[in-house]
Protein backbone atom coordinates (compact mmCIF):
# COMPACT_ATOMS: atom_id res chain seq x y z
CA UNK A 1 0.00 0.00 0.00
CA UNK A 2 1.50 3.35 -1.06
CA UNK A 3 -1.21 5.78 0.06
CA UNK A 4 -4.63 6.00 1.64
CA UNK A 5 -7.18 8.41 3.10
CA UNK A 6 -9.62 7.79 5.92
CA UNK A 7 -12.02 9.49 8.29
CA UNK A 8 -11.22 9.01 11.97
CA UNK A 9 -12.64 9.52 15.44
CA UNK A 10 -10.15 9.91 18.30
CA UNK A 11 -11.37 9.47 21.87
CA UNK A 12 -9.29 9.94 24.98
CA UNK A 13 -9.73 10.52 28.71
CA UNK A 14 -7.52 12.68 30.83
CA UNK A 15 -7.14 15.26 33.51
CA UNK A 16 -8.12 15.21 37.13
CA UNK A 17 -11.82 14.84 36.33
CA UNK A 18 -11.14 12.10 33.76
CA UNK A 19 -13.13 13.98 31.13
CA UNK A 20 -13.59 12.34 27.76
CA UNK A 21 -12.75 14.21 24.58
CA UNK A 22 -13.79 13.09 21.11
CA UNK A 23 -12.23 14.58 17.99
CA UNK A 24 -13.00 13.88 14.33
CA UNK A 25 -11.23 14.43 11.07
CA UNK A 26 -9.51 12.95 8.05
CA UNK A 27 -6.05 11.53 7.50
CA UNK A 28 -4.12 11.14 4.25
CA UNK A 29 -0.91 9.12 4.08
CA UNK A 30 1.43 8.88 1.12
CA UNK A 31 4.43 6.67 1.75
CA UNK A 32 7.22 7.20 2.41
CA UNK A 33 6.75 9.67 5.21
CA UNK A 34 4.11 12.14 4.02
CA UNK A 35 0.99 12.58 6.14
CA UNK A 36 -1.77 15.13 6.66
CA UNK A 37 -4.10 14.95 9.67
CA UNK A 38 -6.99 17.41 9.57
CA UNK A 39 -9.15 17.61 12.68
CA UNK A 40 -12.55 19.14 11.95
CA UNK A 41 -14.25 19.00 15.36
CA UNK A 42 -14.51 20.11 18.05
CA UNK A 43 -11.86 22.55 16.76
CA UNK A 44 -9.90 22.69 13.53
CA UNK A 45 -6.26 21.55 13.67
CA UNK A 46 -3.82 20.40 11.01
CA UNK A 47 -0.67 18.30 11.26
CA UNK A 48 1.40 17.82 8.11
CA UNK A 49 4.63 15.89 7.62
CA UNK A 50 6.84 15.85 4.54
CA UNK A 51 8.98 13.06 6.01
CA UNK A 52 11.57 15.52 7.33
CA UNK A 53 9.56 18.16 9.22
CA UNK A 54 6.22 18.13 11.04
CA UNK A 55 4.06 21.25 10.77
CA UNK A 56 1.41 21.73 13.46
CA UNK A 57 -1.24 24.38 12.80
CA UNK A 58 -4.05 25.38 15.14
CA UNK A 59 -5.93 28.31 13.55
CA UNK A 60 -7.21 29.51 16.94
CA UNK A 61 -3.58 30.01 18.07
CA UNK A 62 -2.64 31.78 14.79
CA UNK A 63 0.72 30.04 14.57
CA UNK A 64 2.52 27.12 12.95
CA UNK A 65 4.94 25.01 14.98
CA UNK A 66 7.67 23.28 12.99
CA UNK A 67 9.59 20.34 14.42
CA UNK A 68 11.81 17.58 13.09
CA UNK A 69 10.45 14.11 12.42
CA UNK A 70 11.99 11.90 15.13
CA UNK A 71 14.72 9.51 14.02
CA UNK A 72 13.58 5.93 13.46
CA UNK A 73 15.11 4.77 16.75
CA UNK A 74 12.94 7.29 18.67
CA UNK A 75 9.67 6.96 16.73
CA UNK A 76 6.70 4.93 17.94
CA UNK A 77 5.69 1.75 16.13
CA UNK A 78 2.46 3.33 14.74
CA UNK A 79 4.44 6.34 13.46
CA UNK A 80 6.94 4.01 11.75
CA UNK A 81 4.11 2.03 10.17
CA UNK A 82 2.37 5.15 8.82
CA UNK A 83 5.67 6.45 7.47
CA UNK A 84 6.23 3.18 5.59
CA UNK A 85 9.14 2.09 7.78
CA UNK A 86 7.46 -0.26 10.24
Amino acid sequence: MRDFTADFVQTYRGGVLRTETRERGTVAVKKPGRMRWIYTSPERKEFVSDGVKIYSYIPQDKQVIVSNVPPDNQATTPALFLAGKG
Side-chain angles (χ1 to χ4, degrees):
M1 179 169 40
R2 304 269 323 146
D3 58 71
F4 69 89
T5 59
D7 294 328
F8 69 87
V9 176
Q10 176 181 327
T11 305
Y12 59 92
R13 288 181 203 234
V16 176
L17 300 177
R18 306 284 299 156
T19 58
E20 183 174 287
T21 301
R22 180 167 287 163
E23 299 178 304
R24 299 176 189 281
T26 59
V27 61
V29 174
K30 186 161 183 83
K31 294 181 181 179
R34 294 185 287 167
M35 293 180 265
R36 177 182 301 263
W37 296 79
I38 300 175
Y39 289 74
T40 54
S41 73
E43 69 175 317
R44 186 162 179 89
K45 299 185 281 189
E46 293 188 34
F47 301 92
V48 178
S49 175
D50 62 5
V52 178
K53 300 283 185 186
I54 299 170
Y55 304 87
S56 304
Y57 173 58
I58 300 173
Q60 187 174 12
D61 294 345
K62 298 181 183 176
Q63 68 177 341
V64 174
I65 298 170
V66 182
S67 56
N68 292 320
V69 170
D72 291 349
N73 64 349
Q74 294 178 11
T76 63
T77 301
L80 289 170
F81 170 75
L82 290 172
K85 299 176 183 178

